[in-house]
Amino acid sequence: MRIVFFSTNSNRFDGESFCIRTVPSRKSVFDSLAESYPEDEFFVVTQLPASFVADVAGNDFAETSSRVQYRRCQKENASDIAAEILLLNPDLAVAASFWVTPFDWLPVQDGMISDMLRERGVRTLCHPTEFSLDCFDKYRTHLLLEKHGFPMPEAMHLDYQQFWCERSHRELKTNVYKAYVLRKLEKMSYPVVIKDTVGLSSYGMEVAVSYKQALYYLYSGRTNSDRLIEEYLSGEQFGTEIYGSDGNYTVMPPLMFSLNRYGITSPKQSVKLGPVTNEKYKIAELNEMLISLAKKLHLCGTAQVDLVFSGGKWFIIEINPRLSGMSETYAAALRTTVPHLLTRIARGEKICGTALQSVCNIKLPLLTDAQMESLSHIPAVRYIHQIHNTAAKQEREKGYCEIILAADSVPEVMAELERLAADFPDLVESVFLENARALAISLRPVQ
């Protein structure tokens, strides 16, 4: 079988400013994949930074697997990219969609490509385009989940153009839409979360504890596009991934997220720990709910779901129909890699063949090559991924290093983290260590 992994990027990528390093390398991962499936031929068609599928050096691929054919796609529109994939005569095309800022819309582009491939008789592993579009716009996601009866927080949509329509219509003396929004906003339960409807993750998210604070934010220069205003659910925050297609789905036990001082997760600061099997979190109920979601929405591939457990109930916050920051973490728990995992999903193979390992995903400051080399020899360290923006002026924009630790239980993985913190005191920041310890306490079995 000829299997093509493909992904696109709508953004310009300046490889001269970004230094990206992953351990194990993408080359070694695809070498292993090809060895596992010697009867298959593998191809990669992607655009830089080629997340999950290739190592990058400057504005090109670094060393690649000799058993995989790579194509750096220079095309811009979906039909041209689909035509380039079709030249490889694939039996199966697997979307390895990733994310970019400011618009998390790459699954829509990859979905359009997948539609064109299916029209030409190619089997694909890629979510329906309309579903990806629904997930791109968080208000559309809210309406979709509401339509199918899934629990979610109370929310309202703010149309930015209508909210300020008097600016372009001088004849207006009253903005009726704004009056409606403010009346509804006043009656909401506080605190509320205010977020961009099409932004990435929690970037730019605001937590308003009162009507007055929400009003101040909406009238400030920070609000310059549509917003979703959502009831803040106090509780513990989690994420999970769903794998599969055609009614055959696997829901992974969730990972618990640490929160920042505003009570929300931060992509560059959050610690993830799990998988969570503690009975107090009603994991069986969550699994049943998300299997139902996957079937109703016809998921095809991998999707990440953000969740809150509040008042003894599970609530869905948003869905990301692509690979996520959790994908490598789950791959480590499964003792595999993301390309192996995607291949198993596409071939309909069993996902959880052995007991899951416990994992901890934690961020470190930027590492030197020597420090990264030292960490790579620690058996519990299963994955290292560093992004360094050498052109960034502000410290917080320069990048980070993400590592994943794995062991047979949460206490064991925490012992590995404590050992790492003792051996490398300059690398494991105290706030991350304390967050991990707090999560481990929450995940202790019910007595």
Side-chain angles (χ1 to χ4, degrees):
M1 184 161 56
R2 295 168 68 88
I3 302 174
V4 176
F5 290 89
F6 74 94
S7 56
T8 60
N9 187 0
S10 60
N11 292 12
R12 295 179 179 87
F13 176 73
D14 179 11
E16 300 304 323
S17 297
F18 284 88
C19 180
I20 302 173
R21 187 177 173 193
T22 305
V23 180
S25 68
R26 307 299 185 193
K27 173 191 178 300
S28 65
V29 167
F30 272 91
D31 280 341
S32 173
L33 178 66
E35 290 172 6
S36 299
Y37 296 92
E39 72 280 9
D40 294 332
E41 295 180 82
F42 291 95
F43 304 82
V44 170
V45 177
T46 187
Q47 296 176 328
L48 301 184
S51 298
F52 298 99
V53 294
D55 302 302
V56 173
N59 286 308
D60 206 345
F61 295 139
E63 186 181 6
T64 56
S65 170
S66 61
R67 302 183 63 175
V68 178
Q69 295 187 43
Y70 290 79
R71 302 283 191 278
R72 181 184 162 198
C73 184
Q74 305 281 17
K75 309 296 184 182
E76 296 296 331
N77 64 65
S79 58
D80 288 340
I81 298 170
E84 188 163 329
I85 295 172
L86 286 168
L87 290 175
L88 299 172
N89 194 27
D91 298 299
L92 172 65
V94 178
S97 306
F98 51 91
W99 62 92
V100 290
T101 59
F103 302 122
D104 191 9
W105 58 15
L106 298 186
V108 180
Q109 169 92 329
D110 293 348
M112 291 189 292
I113 293 168
S114 182
D115 289 341
M116 296 172 191
L117 296 176
R118 278 195 287 262
E119 289 168 4
R120 296 291 297 273
V122 178
R123 187 162 67 90
T124 66
L125 186 76
C126 185
H127 297 296
T129 306
E130 287 299 319
F131 168 67
S132 292
L133 191 61
D134 284 332
C135 294
F136 166 58
D137 185 318
K138 294 179 178 64
Y139 184 57
R140 288 182 58 157
T141 309
H142 184 91
L143 295 177
L144 180 69
L145 293 172
E146 186 176 62
K147 172 186 172 183
H148 289 286
F150 293 104
M152 73 203 79
E154 175 192 1
M156 66 174 289
H157 176 250
L158 182 144
D159 184 306
Y160 180 77
Q161 295 299 324
Q162 288 297 317
F163 193 73
W164 291 111
C165 62
E166 66 270 22
R167 291 174 173 175
S168 57
H169 295 276
R170 298 293 183 182
E171 70 274 20
L172 291 177
K173 65 176 183 178
T174 303
N175 184 334
V176 175
Y177 176 77
K178 182 180 291 185
Y180 162 78
V181 168
L182 297 183
R183 174 176 168 78
K184 189 168 183 180
L185 185 67
E186 192 173 16
K187 292 180 176 297
M188 289 189 74
S189 300
Y190 285 84
V192 296
V193 177
I194 306 174
K195 53 189 175 183
D196 189 342
T197 58
V198 295
L200 175 67
S201 190
S202 59
Y203 291 110
M205 187 180 293
E206 177 78 5
V207 177
V209 299
S210 66
Y211 170 71
K212 184 178 179 180
Q213 187 179 348
L215 204 61
Y216 176 81
Y217 176 79
L218 296 179
Y219 276 85
S220 74
R222 294 174 60 195
T223 300
N224 53 18
S225 62
D226 289 8
R227 290 292 186 268
L228 180 66
I229 305 168
E230 189 175 70
E231 172 193 6
Y232 175 83
L233 293 175
S234 61
E236 294 155 302
Q237 297 194 20
F238 299 79
T240 188
E241 289 194 332
I242 306 172
Y243 307 135
S245 64
D246 301 324
N248 181 26
Y249 298 104
T250 298
V251 175
M252 299 301 292
L255 302 176
M256 180 179 276
F257 297 165
S258 67
L259 307 179
N260 62 18
R261 60 194 178 96
Y262 301 106
I264 57 178
T265 59
S266 172
K268 294 181 180 179
Q269 297 179 346
S270 179
V271 177
K272 304 176 181 71
L273 186 66
V276 179
T277 57
N278 195 318
E279 294 177 5
K280 71 178 180 180
Y281 292 113
K282 302 180 180 178
I283 301 302
E285 289 183 21
L286 174 65
N287 189 77
E288 183 180 351
M289 179 176 73
L290 294 182
I291 288 290
S292 174
L293 180 145
K295 290 180 177 179
K296 288 180 178 179
L297 304 184
H298 305 289
L299 270 59
C300 184
T302 175
Q304 188 265 335
V305 184
D306 285 331
L307 304 155
V308 172
F309 188 73
S310 178
K313 291 179 58 179
W314 285 102
F315 294 85
I316 299 173
I317 303 301
E318 65 181 58
I319 307 170
N320 296 303
R322 51 164 171 74
L323 295 170
S324 76
M326 300 175 65
S327 299
E328 295 285 2
T329 312
Y330 275 124
L334 289 162
R335 300 175 176 84
T336 188
T337 67
V338 169
H340 280 84
L341 180 57
L342 287 172
T343 302
R344 284 157 62 180
I345 296 168
R347 294 168 65 101
E349 297 175 3
K350 189 174 182 179
I351 302 302
C352 299
T354 58
L356 293 173
Q357 287 202 293
S358 293
V359 286
C360 178
N361 181 309
I362 193 167
K363 305 296 191 302
L364 304 180
L366 291 171
L367 306 183
T368 65
D369 288 346
Q371 288 169 328
M372 196 174 291
E373 179 69 17
S374 295
L375 290 182
S376 70
H377 292 296
I378 299 173
V381 176
R382 301 297 172 79
Y383 176 79
I384 306 172
H385 181 65
Q386 177 161 290
I387 300 177
H388 182 195
N389 181 358
T390 59
K393 298 291 192 294
Q394 298 183 1
E395 196 64 34
R396 63 187 177 87
E397 300 297 334
K398 289 183 178 179
Y400 62 91
C401 183
E402 170 189 23
I403 69 167
I404 298 169
L405 299 167
D408 288 335
S409 67
V410 168
E412 289 177 78
V413 83
M414 285 302 300
E416 295 290 349
L417 178 58
E418 297 286 358
R419 189 175 299 114
L420 185 72
D423 293 342
F424 298 89
D426 295 335
L427 298 185
V428 182
E429 298 178 46
S430 59
V431 63
F432 290 99
L433 187 58
E434 290 302 322
N435 283 340
R437 288 168 176 164
L439 294 181
I441 291 172
S442 297
L443 298 184
R444 287 175 180 168
V446 176
Q447 298 299 320

